[in-house]
């Protein structure tokens, strides 16, 4: 399994490098690249500074929600550890197709601290559920605000917008189903049956581990079903976090010297764009994000600045999280001591 995960991450990284190469080659053969460096030198550094602050506060809220959810299950973690867990999750989400690697990687990191895998994975899924609720609130409001503009831009964008809302909304149904004891028992039962059919896996006593996982996961989810206040608080904390992430494009827009559109309009369009393409099965929706940007943001950026705008926007919404996550993982591995691996639960 470890080899499969490493192979998956390896090919995802190759995909990201290919995406970057394609983007650069596109820029080289595109007339817009001729003005790229000229535009970069004219960027308003004040708004770039604001963008950096937005990213940092976004990461703070990412860690804050995780910290809150882990503390509710009596897990003794610091806020800084929770921020690191959040950055690790973002890193693996952005380098794996359809963001499938984030929660398992976070659970594995917590397992290293002797925190039960079932409970930590349940907490990370609940964190994802809270963020999806917050994002859907903002996405629906944004669609209502910008519906007339989308109609003017063409039916195709409307269809992508509705489909994106539908796909994102599915998570609000799927996650509660996964938290059902009956569903979890059914899925774990399938895993056990598959394991029993593979001779060499029997010696690892995986059936007992799966049962322990199911029990921990169910116990954690049961506590939240009985006390819905924690779920509501998690969603409320996730609203400013999602809004911060959706605001990044506005400050990139202003850094390019644009003033025609206001904060609400640009933020709404980025939210709609994110909703429309985030379900694409590529790491970080690479490729789809860039194409979507050209379609949804064409009215707001001049032809000469589109290429530079895409690069700056993607850096602050995608590549910066990969870079920061990689740094955190490397530092954590280099500074890992036996103390870090001791039990850290009450």
């Amino acid at each position: 399994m470890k080899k499969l995960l490493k192979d998956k991450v390896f090919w995802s990284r190759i995909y990201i490098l290919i995406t970057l190469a394609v983007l650069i080659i596109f820029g080289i053969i595109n007339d817009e690249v001729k003005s790229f460096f000229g535009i970069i030198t004219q960027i308003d550094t004040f708004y770039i500074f604001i963008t950096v602050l937005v990213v940092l506060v976004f990461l703070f809220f990412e860690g804050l929600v995780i910290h809150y959810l882990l503390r509710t299950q009596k897990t003794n973690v610091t806020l800084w550890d929770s921020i690191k867990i959040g950055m690790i999750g973002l890193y693996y989400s952005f380098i794996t197709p359809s963001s499938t690697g984030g929660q398992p990687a976070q659970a594995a990191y917590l397992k290293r601290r002797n925190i039960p895998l079932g409970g930590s994975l349940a907490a990370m899924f609940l964190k994802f559920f809270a963020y999806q609720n917050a994002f859907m609130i903002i996405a629906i409001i944004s669609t209502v605000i910008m519906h007339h503009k989308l109609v003017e831009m063409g039916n195709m964008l409307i269809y992508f917008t509705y489909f994106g809302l539908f796909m994102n909304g599915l998570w609000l149904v799927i996650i509660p189903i996964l938290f059902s004891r009956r569903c979890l028992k059914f899925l774990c039962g399938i895993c056990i049956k598959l394991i029993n059919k593979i001779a060499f896996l029997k010696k690892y006593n995986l059936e007992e581990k799966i049962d322990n996982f199911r029990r921990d996961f169910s116990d954690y989810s049961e506590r939240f079903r009985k006390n819905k206040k924690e779920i509501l608080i998690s969603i409320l904390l996730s609203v400013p976090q999602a809004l911060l992430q959706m605001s990044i494009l506005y400050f990139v827009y202003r850094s390019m010297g644009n003033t025609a559109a206001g904060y609400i309009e640009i933020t709404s369009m980025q939210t709609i764009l994110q909703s429309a393409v985030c379900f694409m099965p590529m790491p970080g929706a690479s490729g789809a994000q860039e194409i979507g940007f050209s379609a949804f943001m064409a009215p707001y950026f001049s032809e000469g600045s589109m290429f530079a705008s895409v690069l700056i926007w993607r850096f602050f919404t995608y590549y910066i999280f990969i870079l920061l996550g990689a740094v955190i993982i490397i530092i954590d591995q280099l500074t890992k001591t036996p103390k870090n691996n001791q039990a850290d639960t009450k």
Side-chain angles (χ1 to χ4, degrees), residues 281-293:
M282 292 88 75
S286 295
Q289 289 275 16
E290 289 78 4
I291 294 172
F293 186 96

Side-chain angles (χ1 to χ4, degrees), residues 99 125 207 225 334:
S99 301
F125 272 122
E207 185 172 345
R225 276 197 295 269
L334 292 175

Side-chain angles (χ1 to χ4, degrees), residues 268-325:
S268 296
M269 286 302 287
Q270 178 176 346
T271 306
I272 293 168
L273 167 60
Q274 180 74 13
S275 173
V277 302
C278 67
F279 58 87
M280 295 295 181
M282 292 88 75
S286 295
Q289 289 275 16
E290 289 78 4
I291 294 172
F293 186 96
S294 299
F296 281 92
M297 304 310 301
Y300 302 102
F301 292 90
S302 63
E303 291 185 5
S305 67
M306 184 67 75
F307 179 70
S309 303
V310 170
L311 285 180
I312 297 169
W313 171 65
R314 283 296 275 168
F315 175 78
F316 283 112
T317 58
Y318 182 48
Y319 296 110
I320 192 171
F321 296 111
I322 292 177
L323 293 173
L324 291 175

